[in-house]
Amino acid sequence: MTWVIGASSVFGVGVLVSDVRVSLRNGQRRDMLRKVYALGPYIGLGFAGSVACGFAIWEVLQSRYSVATPPGKTYEPEAAAVDIQRIAREVFRRQPAAERDVGCQLLLVGCSFKRDMGWPGATPIAIIRMVAPHFVPHAAKRDLFAALHIGSGSKVREYKRLVRTYFREPGAQSVCKQARAGHR
């Protein structure tokens, strides 16, 4: 069972968390894999499903976003999702049939600096899910607390409850304030 959960709050706080478990072809399960990565400043990407597909997509995205990001540049999550959809579809199509059969899901969480939440200093958080083979972006509705999830264990209540604790910690809001200050 694997899971990746992205969540946001009305205060402009976003989080992307996952387990580290993989299921091997021989049926064994091991806790050994990181599934969430920074894609660029203030934007993260998680994957579930085929590890080979997830990393193949990540490799292309990393060279496009992380390595090529000029200092001070940020990416709008919605615009990045359109680009990611195109890249993920192409990379997924080239994977072996056995890997495509396992599937691939992506979850994007990022600060949307161009949107206004209606009060000074509040940065809206976008959460976008994309699923193989078409990877059509599906965004979470912006609400007081929004969450989307991917993976076979993503609907487990205890996991969702743990994510909510990130929004109760005093330091969580200061991270978003630092992000806003760095963007200006």
Side-chain angles (χ1 to χ4, degrees), residues 6-140:
S8 69
S9 78
V10 70
F11 301 110
V13 178
V15 65
L16 184 60
V17 294
S18 77
D19 71 336
V20 294
R21 179 155 291 184
V22 294
S23 298
L24 305 175
R25 292 191 193 279
N26 65 8
Q28 292 182 343
R29 293 187 178 143
R30 300 244 170 94
D31 291 339
M32 58 187 265
L33 181 70
R34 183 174 156 192
K35 301 173 190 168
V36 172
Y37 296 88
L39 185 59
Y42 315 117
I43 190 166
L45 183 78
F47 67 84
S50 165
V51 172
C53 290
F55 275 122
I57 293 167
W58 169 247
E59 187 176 308
V60 174
L61 294 176
Q62 182 183 28
S63 66
R64 182 167 179 89
Y65 287 90
S66 300
V67 177
T69 304
K73 167 99 169 127
T74 60
Y75 296 100
E76 285 298 311
E78 291 86 353
V82 172
D83 189 42
I84 292 167
Q85 176 189 16
R86 181 185 54 75
I87 292 167
R89 225 180 0 214
E90 178 61 29
V91 172
F92 184 78
R93 185 184 62 76
R94 292 190 313 243
Q95 298 304 301
E99 296 299 332
R100 289 193 315 267
D101 289 346
V102 175
C104 184
Q105 303 167 5
L106 304 175
L107 192 60
L108 182 72
V109 175
C111 295
S112 185
F113 290 104
K114 291 184 180 175
R115 281 215 160 102
D116 184 8
M117 288 186 66
W119 64 86
T123 304
I125 304 297
I127 307 169
I128 303 167
R129 177 176 35 214
M130 295 172 269
V131 178
H134 303 294
F135 294 97
V136 175
H138 294 282

